[in-house]
């Protein structure tokens, strides 16, 4: 069943206060809510629902508005729900007509809505943010035909992975699952396993690596004994074999992984990858690579994000353009005229019709004065990436799975773009107030006479 979308009735209620009589109608949040084309979002997000009978989903404006506010103000789901109850501007932005004293949905509804939409549908929020910027004069359509592309790492919310901590955690998960399922173990190593982990960490900190290696060997031995004990106990019990299949597989993988090859860096997030970006202060980051595209020249309203895409598998930067460039054109609704990248995109695989539109930093041939100026603007994408990470929840992703990686990256760009629009509206409001407060020339003449 499709959502029952909200429409303004204009009616009054004797026992409830209308929001438009409470809030300041010149507030930037109110202006932004009026500028967004909610009908477009209803059409895009409504396509994932069917007309089958059942309980109707929550309105599109409510869920889309909450997603925008969450990443625009860097809020968790729990804090967002609290703010939504106490803030009338949040309620007006999400389509409420009267002030609500209770939350009309459950917090888990936000998770289910993100999972149902996915990356493909959430891109509509980026499209709408760029459309609103164009309608309000914060950007021009031509601004998005020349872009700068770079990649960064969206880190996952996991502990720093070490062999000792991973094996200790794998043993704890197996022991806990065995106790929950009534499987009696010969020995759980709860006490001695924790002591061995502490001993290993202390030896490693003191650079006593031979002793640390012996402690690590003990932790590996304990994990192997628990794995073999559980394997013997569940033989002939298919109902337990299915329950223990995935935990045992990951525990064996953690126990046997060595220096080379694909590794498991987190038991609860096996999709995490180890990515080295050449940073002196952080040689390795654990998460997923993300491509970010911004306009080459700054728009009037700021450096908007034209496209964001998660790239699982840690691909080479130059081999991402074949998938990224068509997506950018689909998002902005126009063809690209110039693409500027850093030196990490040498040997790129851009489509044939766009191959000579890509300019890689460091190339020497075919450079005109305009292209040299474009190279000097290439670093404009770096502060944008910093804002996405520090202020819009891309710095540490708490959403689960590869789908969560992709959705969080897109929503971070959505929150960043709408944050720029909010500041643009606040600037316009200040300009209007200054103009109205300034004395006119005729009034000055009358006072002087």
């Amino acid at each position: 069943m499709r959502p029952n979308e909200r429409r303004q009735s204009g009616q009054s209620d004797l026992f409830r206060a209308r929001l438009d009589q409470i809030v300041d109608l010149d507030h930037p949040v109110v202006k932004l809510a009026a500028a967004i084309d909610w009908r477009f979002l209803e059409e895009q997000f409504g396509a994932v629902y069917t007309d089958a009978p059942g309980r109707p989903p929550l309105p599109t404006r409510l869920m889309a508005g909450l997603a925008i506010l969450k990443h625009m103000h860097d809020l968790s789901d729990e804090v967002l729900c609290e703010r939504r109850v106490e803030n009338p501007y949040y309620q007006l932005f999400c389509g409420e007509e009267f002030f609500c004293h209770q939350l009309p949905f459950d917090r888990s509804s936000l998770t289910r809505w993100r999972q149902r939409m996915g990356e493909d549908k959430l891109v509509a929020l980026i499209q709408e943010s760029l459309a609103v910027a164009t309608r309000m004069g914060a950007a021009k359509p031509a601004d998005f035909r020349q872009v700068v592309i770079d990649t960064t790492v969206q880190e996952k919310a996991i502990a720093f992975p070490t062999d000792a901590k991973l094996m200790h955690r794998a043993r704890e998960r197996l022991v806990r699952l065995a106790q929950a399922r009534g499987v009696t173990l010969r020995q759980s190593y709860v006490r001695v396993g924790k002591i061995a982990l502490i001993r290993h960490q202390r030896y490693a900190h003191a650079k006593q690596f031979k002793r640390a290696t012996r402690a690590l060997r003990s932790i590996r031995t304990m994990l192997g004994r628990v794995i073999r004990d559980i394997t013997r106990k569940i033989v002939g019990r298919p109902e337990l074999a299915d329950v223990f299949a995935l935990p045992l597989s990951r525990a064996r993988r953690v126990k046997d992984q060595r220096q080379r090859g694909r590794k498991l860096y987190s038991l609860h997030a096996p999709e995490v990858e180890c990515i080295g970006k050449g940073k002196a202060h952080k040689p390795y980051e654990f998460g997923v690579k993300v491509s970010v595209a911004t306009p080459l020249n700054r728009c009037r309203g700021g450096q908007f994000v034209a496209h964001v895409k998660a790239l699982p598998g840690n691909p080479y930067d130059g081999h991402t353009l074949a998938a990224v460039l068509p997506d950018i054109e689909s998002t902005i609704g126009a063809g690209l005229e110039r693409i500027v990248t850093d030196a990490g995109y040498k040997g790129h695989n851009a489509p044939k019709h766009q191959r000579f539109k890509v300019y890689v930093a460091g190339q020497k041939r075919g450079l005109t004065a305009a292209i040299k100026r474009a190279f000097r603007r290439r670093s404009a994408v770096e502060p944008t990436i910093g804002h996405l990470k520090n202020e819009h929840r891309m710095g540490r992703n708490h959403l689960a799975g590869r789908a969560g990686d992709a959705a969080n990256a897109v929503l971070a760009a959505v929150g960043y773009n709408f944050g720029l629009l909010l500041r643009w509206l606040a600037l316009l409001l200040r300009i209007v107030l200054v103009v109205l407060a300034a004395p006119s020339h005729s009034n000055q003449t009358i006072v002087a006479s």
Side-chain angles (χ1 to χ4, degrees):
M1 179 173 285
R2 293 179 177 271
N4 291 330
E5 305 298 355
R6 293 176 174 175
R7 298 291 182 263
Q8 295 293 327
S9 64
Q11 298 179 355
S12 300
D13 193 318
L14 182 62
F15 302 102
R16 294 188 297 174
R18 287 186 58 86
L19 288 172
D20 54 10
Q21 297 175 356
I22 298 175
V23 303
D24 178 12
L25 297 181
D26 290 328
H27 194 278
V29 173
V30 180
K31 297 292 186 182
L32 182 60
I36 296 175
D37 186 1
W38 299 104
R39 298 293 183 94
F40 168 75
L41 298 179
E42 291 171 4
E43 293 176 0
Q44 295 295 317
F45 295 146
V48 304
Y49 300 101
T50 62
D51 293 327
R55 180 180 178 180
L58 293 169
T60 298
R61 179 167 178 177
L62 171 63
M63 305 310 295
L66 289 172
I68 293 171
L69 292 171
K70 170 185 171 67
H71 286 264
M72 187 164 58
H73 298 294
D74 190 11
L75 305 174
S76 65
D77 288 349
E78 290 78 7
V79 175
L80 176 65
C81 293
E82 294 174 2
R83 296 274 184 90
R84 197 314 188 147
V85 172
E86 64 190 20
N87 195 324
Y89 289 97
Y90 280 24
Q91 297 189 17
L92 181 66
F93 188 83
C94 294
E96 293 289 348
E97 195 170 3
F98 300 94
F99 187 83
C100 298
H101 296 274
Q102 295 180 346
L103 200 65
F105 59 92
D106 186 72
R107 187 210 59 80
S108 60
S109 300
L110 298 169
T111 302
R112 290 193 294 270
W113 185 81
R114 285 191 297 260
Q115 292 173 346
R116 179 184 286 270
M117 293 300 127
E119 179 188 16
D120 296 337
K121 295 301 179 183
L122 292 175
V123 171
L125 292 173
I126 296 183
Q127 294 176 326
E128 181 58 22
S129 68
L130 300 181
V132 173
T134 303
R135 291 195 295 267
M136 295 195 312
K140 297 181 294 185
D143 292 339
F144 303 102
R145 299 178 72 90
Q146 300 183 25
V147 297
V148 182
I149 301 178
D150 198 5
T151 60
T152 185
V153 178
Q154 177 180 249
E155 294 188 78
K156 200 78 167 184
I158 65 170
F160 189 87
T162 63
D163 291 339
K165 286 194 290 187
L166 283 172
M167 288 188 286
H168 177 75
R169 183 61 177 162
R171 183 191 54 77
E172 283 186 333
R173 290 165 67 99
L174 287 176
V175 170
R176 189 180 301 116
L177 183 59
Q179 292 174 347
R181 295 291 176 172
V183 178
T184 305
L185 302 178
R186 291 178 59 252
Q187 191 171 353
S188 63
Y189 302 99
V190 172
R191 184 179 60 86
V192 294
K194 183 177 180 180
I195 294 174
L197 177 64
I198 295 173
R199 187 183 302 119
H200 170 271
Q201 292 173 337
R202 288 178 176 175
Y203 286 152
H205 178 71
K207 293 184 173 57
Q208 300 178 11
F209 296 115
K210 289 186 178 180
R211 293 177 176 176
T213 302
R214 286 198 296 270
L216 180 63
R217 193 180 302 122
S218 299
I219 296 173
R220 181 177 283 112
T221 301
M222 295 174 195
L223 175 60
R225 289 177 178 176
V226 171
I227 291 174
R228 291 189 294 272
D229 193 9
I230 291 177
T231 304
R232 288 191 299 267
K233 297 292 177 57
I234 64 176
V235 171
R237 303 173 68 180
E239 70 282 359
L240 291 180
D242 294 338
V243 173
F244 281 92
L246 185 59
L248 284 174
S249 173
R250 292 181 179 174
R252 292 190 184 101
R253 186 175 169 185
V254 167
K255 173 180 172 293
D256 298 332
Q257 64 187 5
R258 292 296 185 264
Q259 189 67 25
R260 295 185 178 274
R262 170 114 178 123
K263 299 180 181 63
L264 185 67
Y265 297 102
S266 175
L267 293 169
H268 73 273
E271 71 277 2
V272 169
E273 300 154 356
C274 179
I275 303 172
K277 296 289 287 183
K279 301 177 182 177
H281 67 286
K282 190 180 291 186
Y284 301 102
E285 296 173 284
F286 299 93
V288 65
K289 183 175 285 190
V290 174
S291 172
V292 180
T294 64
L296 177 62
N297 299 309
R298 185 182 184 277
C299 307
R300 294 182 64 190
Q303 195 74 21
F304 289 94
V305 174
H307 179 263
V308 163
K309 186 176 182 62
L311 305 168
N314 190 15
Y316 169 63
D317 287 358
H319 295 167
T320 63
L321 293 184
V324 168
L325 295 184
D327 281 358
I328 296 176
E329 292 183 338
S330 175
T331 301
I332 66 176
L336 294 173
E337 297 177 353
R338 183 173 296 161
I339 303 103
V340 180
T341 66
D342 61 10
Y345 284 80
K346 289 181 179 179
H348 59 80
N349 63 347
K352 290 184 177 180
H353 68 283
Q354 294 175 324
R355 187 163 299 170
F356 296 103
K357 299 179 182 179
V358 179
Y359 297 93
V360 181
Q363 72 179 56
K364 302 299 182 183
R365 296 183 179 180
L367 297 184
T368 63
I371 297 173
K372 291 180 181 178
R373 287 195 300 270
F375 280 148
R376 289 195 291 270
R377 283 286 304 168
R378 191 215 63 80
S379 60
V381 70
E382 303 296 345
T384 300
I385 292 174
H387 287 300
L388 289 173
K389 287 189 171 185
N390 296 327
E391 301 166 10
H392 302 284
R393 304 188 69 79
M394 190 188 280
R396 191 168 177 84
N397 176 29
H398 295 266
L399 304 186
R402 294 191 186 275
D405 293 335
N408 190 74
V410 172
L411 290 173
V414 170
Y416 172 78
N417 284 350
F418 279 107
L420 288 182
L421 291 173
L422 207 61
R423 286 189 285 274
W424 173 255
L425 288 169
L427 176 62
L428 293 181
L429 179 60
R430 286 197 295 270
I431 292 174
V432 170
L433 293 177
V434 168
V435 171
L436 293 177
S440 63
H441 180 71
S442 60
N443 292 338
Q444 292 177 352
T445 304
I446 295 172
V447 171
S449 60

